[in-house]
Amino acid sequence: MSYFDSIAPVRYEGPGGSSPLAYRHYNPEERLLGKTMQEHLRLAVCYWHTFVWPGSDVFGQGTFSRPWHEAGDELTMARRKADAAFSLFTRLGVPFYTFHDTDVAPEGSNLAQYRSNFSAMTDVLAQKQEETGMRLLWGTANLFSHRRYAAGAATNPNPEVFAYAATQVFSAMNATRQLGGTNYVLWGGREGYDTLLNTDLRQEREQLGRFMRMVVEHKHKTGFKGDLLIEPKPLEPTKHQYDYDCATVYGFLKQFGLEQEIKLNIEANHATLAGHSFQHEIATAAALGVFGSIDANRGDPQNGWDTDQFPNSVEDLTLAMYEIIKAGGFVNGGFNFDAKVRRQSMDAVDIVHGHVGAIDVLALALKSAVRLVEQDELERFRQQRYAGWQQDLGRRILAGDMSLAQVAEHAFVNEFNPMPVSGRQEWLENRVNAAIFGGVA
C-alpha cells in the first residue's frame, strides 16, 4: 500500500468548496490571457524536501517516519520512494516534478555504483512517467552534501574533486535528457568561501567558468533542447556564495561569454537572503534577458537562514507574477515547490496540505496579476514616466549621437531647469491592492 493511498486526488471545488483537501482557486483548465492556468504556472513538486529530508535540523534528529527511510536494500528503498512520489504527484494533479541525482538513486561508495544505481532508477522514473503522464521540469546533481565537497565542487582546490563533480553532472544531464526534462539546473551549493585566508578568488572563478563552459558544450553535443539554469543564492552553506544574486550571476556569465547560453532559476527565499524582494530578482533577470524558472517558497523574517517554507502571501506573489507575465511568461521553466513541511508536521496529509495551500496561493496571485495586466494602469504610468526618452533628446543620447560636452552645451543653451515629478507610489500601491482585494480607490 502506497504512503498516500488513503488520500483522495485533489480536485477543484471553487471558492465555495468545503473540503480542506480541494483547490478553491486553482482550476487547471481556466483560461487567462489566452493560456490555461496550468500552462501559466507549470507546477512542479520537488523530490528532496518532500521525500528525502527526514525532518532533522542542526539541533535534533529527524521527526518523520517515512517507509522509504527505513533500513534495507538501498535500491529497494529508492523504488519505494519513487512509488510514493508519483502517488503524491498524481494526487495533486501537477504536471511536473524535479530531482537531484542522489534524491532518486543511492549514491553508492564509488562512481561505478553511482552510475549503476542512477541508471537503474532513471529507468524506473521513465516507466513511472509513462504510466502517469508526469513530466520532468528539471534535473540536477547534488554537489554539496557529501564531505568530498566541503571545499566546493567546481571551485575545489583539488582537480580530482572537480572531475568527480563533472561525472555527476554528466550523468544527471544525460538522465534529464533521457527523461524529457525541459531544463537542467546548476546550484553551486558550496561554490563559495568561508575565509579568504585560504581562498584564491581568481583561481576558483576560472575553475567555475571552465566547468560551466564544459556543461554548455555537453548540452550542444548531446542535442539537449532545454534551458541550462543557474540558481542564485547569497550565502549558506558558505559565508559567501559566488552566485550571490541575479546581477552577480549575470556578471559572471558575461565574463565567460555564457550570457546567451545559461539562464536563471530564481528562488524567493534566496532573493530575500540577498536583501532583495522576489519581485526585484525576477525583474532583474527579465531585464537582462536571462529569466528562466522559479523555486517557489518563502523565508521567515525572524530567521536569518533558508527556511524553505511553502509560499502563503498573495500580495508578494502577485507582484512576482506580474513581472513574469510582463516578461512573456515561462518558456521551459515553471513554479517548482522547493519547500518543506515543518518538523512537527509529521503526517502524510501534512505534505498534501502544504502543496494544496501553496498552489491555491499561486492561483490567486496569478488572477490578481492578470487583472493588473488587463487594466494596464501600472504599465501606462511607467511608460508616461519615461516618455521623454522617446523624444528627440532622449533618443539622441541613448543612440550615442551626443558627447558629454554636447549634452552639457544643449542643456546650457536651452536653459534647462527641470523640476521633479511625483512618482505616485502610494497610488500605484493602491492599484495593486485593488487588483488583489478590490474596493481600493
Side-chain angles (χ1 to χ4, degrees), residues 100-174:
H100 295 87
D101 52 351
T102 56
D103 296 337
V104 298
E107 187 169 1
S109 58
N110 54 56
L111 284 175
Q113 291 180 5
Y114 165 84
R115 284 188 166 181
S116 176
N117 291 341
F118 196 15
S119 176
M121 286 308 300
T122 300
D123 290 340
V124 170
L125 296 178
Q127 181 180 351
K128 293 286 187 184
Q129 289 183 199
E130 179 68 24
E131 293 169 352
T132 62
M134 287 294 301
R135 299 172 61 196
L136 179 63
L137 186 68
W138 52 259
T140 188
N142 181 336
L143 308 181
F144 48 89
S145 291
H146 195 281
R147 64 193 297 269
R148 76 173 62 87
Y149 296 126
T155 59
N156 199 284
N158 184 350
E160 292 186 6
V161 175
F162 181 107
Y164 201 107
T167 304
Q168 282 190 243
V169 171
F170 173 84
S171 300
M173 288 183 71
N174 292 345

Side-chain angles (χ1 to χ4, degrees), residues 272-341:
T272 52
L273 286 174
H276 304 309
S277 68
F278 190 25
Q279 178 192 15
H280 166 88
E281 286 292 84
I282 295 170
T284 298
L288 295 172
V290 290
F291 173 71
S293 195
I294 293 293
D295 270 5
N297 58 21
R298 79 181 196 274
D300 189 315
Q302 292 178 295
N303 287 336
W305 60 87
D306 199 0
T307 56
D308 287 325
Q309 295 169 252
F310 282 96
N312 67 355
S313 171
V314 175
E315 295 95 318
D316 288 345
L317 285 169
T318 294
L319 296 174
M321 200 79 70
Y322 178 75
E323 297 296 339
I324 293 172
I325 295 173
K326 296 297 290 184
F330 294 116
V331 177
N332 291 321
F335 276 101
N336 171 53
F337 288 113
D338 184 5
K340 57 191 176 187
V341 296

Side-chain angles (χ1 to χ4, degrees), residues 264-435:
L264 301 184
N265 183 61
I266 302 166
E267 178 176 313
N269 205 168
H270 294 178
T272 52
L273 286 174
H276 304 309
S277 68
F278 190 25
Q279 178 192 15
H280 166 88
E281 286 292 84
I282 295 170
T284 298
L288 295 172
V290 290
F291 173 71
S293 195
I294 293 293
D295 270 5
N297 58 21
R298 79 181 196 274
D300 189 315
Q302 292 178 295
N303 287 336
W305 60 87
D306 199 0
T307 56
D308 287 325
Q309 295 169 252
F310 282 96
N312 67 355
S313 171
V314 175
E315 295 95 318
D316 288 345
L317 285 169
T318 294
L319 296 174
M321 200 79 70
Y322 178 75
E323 297 296 339
I324 293 172
I325 295 173
K326 296 297 290 184
F330 294 116
V331 177
N332 291 321
F335 276 101
N336 171 53
F337 288 113
D338 184 5
K340 57 191 176 187
V341 296
R342 301 299 89 191
R343 292 180 72 240
Q344 296 181 55
S345 299
M346 306 170 192
D347 298 335
V349 72
D350 294 319
I351 298 174
V352 183
H353 280 304
H355 285 91
V356 167
I359 290 170
D360 259 354
V361 166
L362 284 180
L364 274 171
L366 173 62
K367 292 178 182 179
S368 299
V370 166
R371 285 193 286 272
L372 286 173
V373 171
E374 290 176 335
Q375 293 163 2
D376 203 34
E377 291 178 298
L378 271 61
E379 187 58 30
R380 286 202 308 271
F381 182 84
R382 187 155 40 188
Q383 290 179 2
Q384 181 182 6
R385 191 167 184 237
Y386 292 90
W389 289 95
Q390 303 304 315
Q391 298 174 9
D392 181 65
L393 176 61
R395 289 199 302 267
R396 291 174 63 196
I397 291 173
L398 291 180
D401 295 338
M402 300 177 73
S403 67
L404 181 65
Q406 288 173 322
V407 173
E409 180 64 17
H410 184 85
F412 179 77
V413 170
N414 289 278
E415 299 181 347
F416 283 178
N417 186 25
M419 293 292 107
V421 177
S422 175
R424 295 282 188 270
Q425 180 173 334
E426 291 74 19
W427 175 78
L428 294 168
E429 290 170 346
N430 289 347
R431 301 320 301 150
V432 172
N433 282 335

Side-chain angles (χ1 to χ4, degrees), residues 201-267:
L201 289 176
R202 182 185 296 274
Q203 172 71 24
E204 294 197 1
R205 195 174 179 90
E206 290 293 329
Q207 290 174 208
L208 188 57
R210 179 59 191 137
F211 194 91
M212 294 301 176
R213 172 53 61 186
M214 292 166 66
V215 169
V216 169
E217 291 167 354
H218 185 66
K219 169 190 170 175
H220 292 304
K221 182 177 180 180
T222 60
F224 179 59
K225 301 302 181 184
D227 286 332
L228 298 176
L229 306 173
I230 290 179
E231 183 172 326
K233 188 177 185 182
L235 70 164
E236 194 194 65
T238 67
K239 181 171 71 175
H240 177 89
Q241 301 277 136
Y242 294 140
D243 50 6
Y244 190 92
D245 60 8
C246 289
T248 303
V249 175
Y250 184 76
F252 167 83
L253 295 176
K254 287 287 287 186
Q255 178 183 353
F256 293 97
L258 298 171
E259 71 275 13
Q260 301 299 319
E261 300 284 359
I262 300 177
K263 297 179 180 179
L264 301 184
N265 183 61
I266 302 166
E267 178 176 313

Side-chain angles (χ1 to χ4, degrees), residues 182-202:
T182 61
N183 307 271
Y184 183 83
V185 169
L186 299 126
W187 179 54
R190 295 191 187 275
E191 311 294 18
Y193 67 81
D194 293 316
T195 175
L196 286 173
L197 298 177
N198 62 9
T199 303
D200 186 331
L201 289 176
R202 182 185 296 274

